[in-house]
Each structure stands twice: as C-alpha cells, then as structure tokens.
C-alpha cells in the first residue's frame, strides 16, 4: 500500500523565483492538505484541496497557490520566493469525511526548500 | 492558535511506559483529540485519536478524562525509536490540523 509521496526531496531556489512541489496521496485518499514547517516550529496549515477545489486556507499570502488533479495528486506553487519561505513543505492526505469517520491525515516525508 | 497545552519536554527510561499529558480545557463537544509524532526531519506520523472513550491500538493508548479537558498518551514500552516530538491536537474531524509546540520526548538508554 503506497503511502504519501512527495517530490522533489530537496530544492534550492533563489529569491524571486517560482517553485512547484508535488504530492501523490496515499492510495484510496481523495483529500490533500499542505503544511509549511520552519526550522524548530510545528507545521503550519497552508491549504486543503478536495474535488479539485481549495476547501480551506490558512493564513498564507496569495503567492502560495495550489492545484489538485483528477487523480487526486496535488501541486503547491510558490511565486516570488522570499528567504522566509525556506522550510520543510509537508503534504498530507486523507479520505473525505463522508467516507471515513475518523479522518486521520497521513503525511509524506516532505520537500526541503532552501531559498538563497 | 493551538487549543492544547503540553510540557515542552519529557524524559523516559527505555522499556518503561511513557505518559505524555495534554490539557485541552476549551475542547468542544464535537472535537476529537488526535496525537501525532514527528521523528527528526520526517513527516508527522498519526498515532491515535479519540472522542470521549479511551482508545488503544498497536502503537499506544489514549486516556481521556471524563470531563474531556485533558488526556494522556501512553507508550507502554518505550524504545529509543520513540524519541520524537509528540503533538496533541483537538479538532473537528474534517478540519485542518493546527499544531502547537508539542512535547519533545527523550528516551534514555
């Protein structure tokens, strides 16, 4: 049973550039959430996608955008990168509430983004 | 902001039970208690969750007080591989996860 996968593992970008991170959910899951984890902090919720639409959003600027594809995989895009965007970006997948009573989220290993 | 309060760190001897407390005095009736842990540089791992009854699975036990204002995660026989940051989270089932600072658990050989 394939778990949540993310690519790439590591990435180095320059300020002002744009980046795209990718996530494949756990088999059978239809909902994808993205989190940002700065060094020494707990993960912070960015947004959640379900049925190819953004369902919830945290306190992140519009520079952060996403997409969900018909196969439930997802992308996180960040434009005009700032040094402060350096973090571990985590993807989590889950099954919609109407199909699951417990709604636990399963996390991928993350993408480490460094902005120089 | 996170709705839970946890001690910043705890130590436990290898082979002993690790008991991690969590206060959630403002929990609502429809909010679950979830526990996750994060081993260094890895993604958080789901451990267990409950609403009001005590729960047990292959990883841990969750004890929730009758008034639901606090809970304890129990790792019955801690090993060095249980060294991690443990997050206690309260949320409505399909809501986003709001992580606090968690408890850094050190397992001592």
């Amino acid at each position: 049973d394939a778990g949540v996968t993310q690519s790439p593992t590591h990435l180095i970008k320059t300020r002002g550039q744009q980046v795209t991170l990718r996530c494949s959910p756990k088999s059978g899951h239809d909902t994808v959430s993205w989190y940002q984890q700065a060094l020494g902090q707990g993960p912070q919720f960015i947004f959640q996608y379900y049925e190819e639409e953004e369902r919830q959003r945290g306190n992140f600027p519009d520079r952060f955008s996403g997409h969900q594809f018909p196969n439930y995989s997802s992308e996180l895009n960040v434009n005009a990168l700032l040094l402060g965007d350096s973090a571990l970006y985590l993807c989590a997948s889950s099954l919609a509430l109407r199909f699951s009573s417990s709604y636990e989220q399963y996390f991928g290993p993350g993408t480490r983004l460094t902005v120089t | 902001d996170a709705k839970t309060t946890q001690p910043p760190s705890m130590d436990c001897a290898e082979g002993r039970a690790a008991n991690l407390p969590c206060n959630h005095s403002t929990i609502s009736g429809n909010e679950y208690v979830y526990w996750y842990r994060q081993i260094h540089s890895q993604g958080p791992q789901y451990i267990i969750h409950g609403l009001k009854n005590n729960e047990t699975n292959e990883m841990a036990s969750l004890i929730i007080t009758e008034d639901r204002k606090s809970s304890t995660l129990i790792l019955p026989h801690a090993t060095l591989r249980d060294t991690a940051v443990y997050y206690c989270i309260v949320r409505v089932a399909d809501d986003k996860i709001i992580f606090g600072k968690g408890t850094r658990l050190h397992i001592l050989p």
Side-chain angles (χ1 to χ4, degrees), chain A:
Chain A
D1 181 17
V4 180
T5 60
Q6 292 186 243
S7 64
T9 307
H10 295 86
L11 201 54
I12 299 175
K13 289 286 189 178
T14 304
R15 276 179 299 175
Q17 287 187 317
Q18 178 265 343
V19 67
T20 298
L21 311 181
R22 295 176 176 81
C23 171
S24 291
K26 180 179 168 66
S27 178
H29 283 182
D30 57 8
T31 302
V32 173
S33 302
W34 286 92
Y35 295 80
Q36 179 196 65
Q37 186 172 25
L39 202 60
Q41 304 294 319
Q44 300 295 309
F45 175 75
I46 303 175
F47 43 52
Q48 183 183 81
Y49 277 83
Y50 171 65
E51 292 188 336
E52 302 181 47
E53 292 190 355
E54 185 181 288
R55 182 171 168 269
Q56 295 185 72
R57 189 178 182 94
N59 189 26
F60 279 80
D62 292 344
R63 297 188 297 110
F64 289 77
S65 63
H67 188 76
Q68 185 180 35
F69 299 94
N71 67 353
Y72 308 121
S73 67
S74 177
E75 288 181 349
L76 164 66
N77 300 293
V78 187
N79 295 323
L81 284 166
L82 304 173
L83 295 179
D85 295 331
S86 294
L88 180 68
Y89 287 85
L90 295 159
C91 167
S93 75
S94 52
L95 188 60
L97 189 61
R98 67 175 188 268
F99 299 120
S100 168
S101 61
S102 58
Y103 206 69
E104 61 264 28
Q105 294 188 8
Y106 292 87
F107 285 79
T111 293
R112 173 74 60 188
L113 172 66
T114 302
V115 182
T116 62

Side-chain angles (χ1 to χ4, degrees), chain B residues 50-83:
Chain B
L51 184 61
K52 49 186 176 181
N53 297 322
N54 297 337
E55 302 288 344
T56 296
N57 63 19
E58 64 279 3
M59 289 183 66
S61 294
L62 173 60
I63 308 298
I64 303 174
T65 58
E66 192 169 344
D67 63 8
R68 303 210 321 126
K69 292 185 177 181
S70 65
S71 60
T72 301
L73 177 74
I74 302 172
L75 308 178
H77 304 287
T79 71
L80 295 176
R81 287 179 294 182
D82 293 322
T83 294

